[in-house]
Amino acid sequence: MSDVRSAEPEAREGRRMSGIGRVLVAVYGVLALAATGRSFVQIASKFDEAPLAYTLSALAAVVYIVATIALVRPGIAWYRVAWATIVFEFTGVIVIGTLSIVFPELFPHDTVWSRFGAGYLFIPLVLPVLGMWWLARHRPTSKAVAS
């Protein structure tokens, strides 16, 4: 019976990128591409109209790119990077979402996180919650830390 318990974390670690993990990473990847493309076009064509909003969109794009990479990579360091980026993302969505509703004049044009990600079907609000849940369920094992 103790063998089954000791094998469970290893089996769970081997399934990290299956099922919901793959879907989560795919959604992060799509959001990273969408945010990067949007911010690039906004900054290149009309940065002077809303520099704060467009800079925040570019920051969100970088966060999504790093989070996507960190979710895929093994090891404790990447696990910590994933946590940091996802918590930062969630904080950004809450703060920018609230500010964009309370003080709309700060954001004459939307960012990825404006109105809690309404322009992206609220995916920016839901995704970090799912990401934190997934990370909490898939902590690296001591064996994974060594590799």
Side-chain angles (χ1 to χ4, degrees):
M1 185 183 258
S2 64
D3 292 338
V4 173
R5 287 183 187 163
S6 65
E8 186 180 321
E10 291 176 31
R12 194 172 55 187
E13 186 66 31
R15 292 192 314 259
R16 249 182 101 188
M17 292 310 302
S18 64
I20 190 72
R22 284 186 182 177
V23 173
L24 187 68
V25 169
V27 173
Y28 263 102
V30 168
L31 200 54
L33 288 172
T36 301
R38 178 181 182 168
S39 65
F40 177 78
V41 168
Q42 290 171 328
I43 289 170
S45 64
K46 49 189 175 179
F47 183 74
D48 57 327
E49 293 177 22
L52 176 61
Y54 298 155
T55 301
L56 288 170
S57 285
L59 175 63
V62 170
V63 169
Y64 289 128
I65 291 167
V66 174
T68 303
I69 293 167
L71 286 168
V72 172
R73 302 292 301 181
I76 193 73
W78 283 109
Y79 178 79
R80 289 177 179 156
V81 170
W83 266 109
T85 55
I86 291 173
V87 168
F88 182 87
E89 168 198 358
F90 186 66
T91 304
V93 171
I94 297 301
V95 171
I96 302 305
T98 302
L99 288 174
S100 66
I101 291 170
V102 176
F103 302 108
E105 65 276 3
L106 290 176
F107 303 97
H109 296 208
D110 281 348
T111 74
V112 174
W113 296 335
S114 293
R115 295 176 286 120
F116 306 105
Y120 288 84
L121 305 173
F122 298 99
I123 292 170
L125 179 62
V126 175
L127 195 59
V129 174
L130 292 175
M132 289 184 285
W133 168 81
W134 189 76
L135 285 171
R137 300 269 317 205
H138 295 85
R139 289 183 179 97
T141 63
S142 57
K143 192 172 208 172
V145 172
S147 57

